[in-house]
Amino acid sequence: MANIRGVKEPWAVITDESPTLQTLWQYALRFRVEELFLDSKSGVFELEESKIRCADALERLYLVAAVALLFSTTQGMAVHIKGLRQQVDPHWRRGISYLKIGLRWLKGVVHKGRELLMPVPLLCHDPQPCFASKKAQKKHYNKIWFSRIRSLQCKAL
């Protein structure tokens, strides 16, 4: 269990890893996946607006969206690696997701004659985390501070 500054209820993390601050930080980073989900669900593809109710049709739509998300993200990573990011992201440092960078680049391919880049493998380690401002970056890193940690270990029966 971990008490987090500014949060009313403590986290209860069940894991087979050692109960350390590092373990809790790893779980905190996993929660950032919500941003990717937001991008794919309503922020970019607006899947909720489809009004589709048929399970088979929804499954096909999500498959197409997943392929588009993957391709656009790899385009965004290729743009970043080639040093072309500032053509589509005006922030001094990366301020939007690789998905949005890729989508902006792909719009430029269609409308401005930009080169379609060879997709790159998904990066295991993000060389430049995404923050829209220094204030957003500070808020993110100051958001999760553990004030107390308690470990309970269960013995196998």
Side-chain angles (χ1 to χ4, degrees):
M1 305 256 317
N3 291 351
I4 304 165
R5 186 187 320 160
V7 176
K8 290 181 182 179
E9 295 185 25
W11 281 6
V13 176
I14 299 172
T15 178
D16 59 352
E17 294 183 29
S18 299
T20 65
L21 279 175
Q22 180 64 29
T23 301
L24 291 171
W25 272 106
Q26 288 172 348
Y27 277 89
L29 292 174
R30 285 175 143 175
F31 297 142
R32 291 177 71 185
V33 170
E34 290 178 18
E35 294 299 319
L36 177 62
F37 183 72
L38 176 64
D39 275 353
S40 64
K41 184 177 172 195
S42 59
V44 174
F45 297 117
E46 298 181 11
L47 297 176
E48 291 178 339
E49 299 298 318
S50 71
K51 308 269 193 253
I52 295 174
R53 298 289 179 249
C54 171
D56 289 341
L58 269 174
E59 192 173 290
R60 288 189 297 271
L61 177 61
Y62 273 94
L63 175 62
V64 169
V67 171
L69 184 141
L70 179 61
F71 184 75
S72 299
T73 300
T74 59
Q75 278 293 294
M77 290 178 172
V79 167
H80 182 78
I81 289 169
K82 288 193 172 261
L84 304 170
R85 181 192 50 81
Q86 288 188 318
Q87 291 184 27
V88 293
D89 178 10
H91 297 94
W92 182 256
R93 295 176 55 86
R94 188 165 70 92
I96 58 177
S97 66
Y98 288 122
L99 171 63
K100 289 182 180 176
I101 291 170
L103 288 171
R104 289 180 182 183
W105 187 263
L106 290 169
K107 284 180 184 178
V109 168
V110 173
H111 299 294
K112 298 180 180 178
R114 284 191 185 127
E115 173 188 358
L116 184 63
L117 302 175
M118 178 67 75
V120 298
L122 293 176
L123 302 174
C124 296
H125 174 69
D126 192 351
Q128 188 179 58
C130 174
F131 297 104
S133 66
K134 288 183 180 179
K135 183 179 179 181
Q137 182 178 10
K138 184 177 179 182
K139 183 179 176 184
H140 171 77
Y141 284 118
N142 288 336
K143 187 175 183 180
I144 300 174
W145 288 104
F146 303 103
S147 59
R148 187 178 66 182
I149 298 173
R150 184 175 55 160
S151 171
L152 302 172
Q153 294 186 350
C154 299
K155 295 181 182 182
L157 297 176

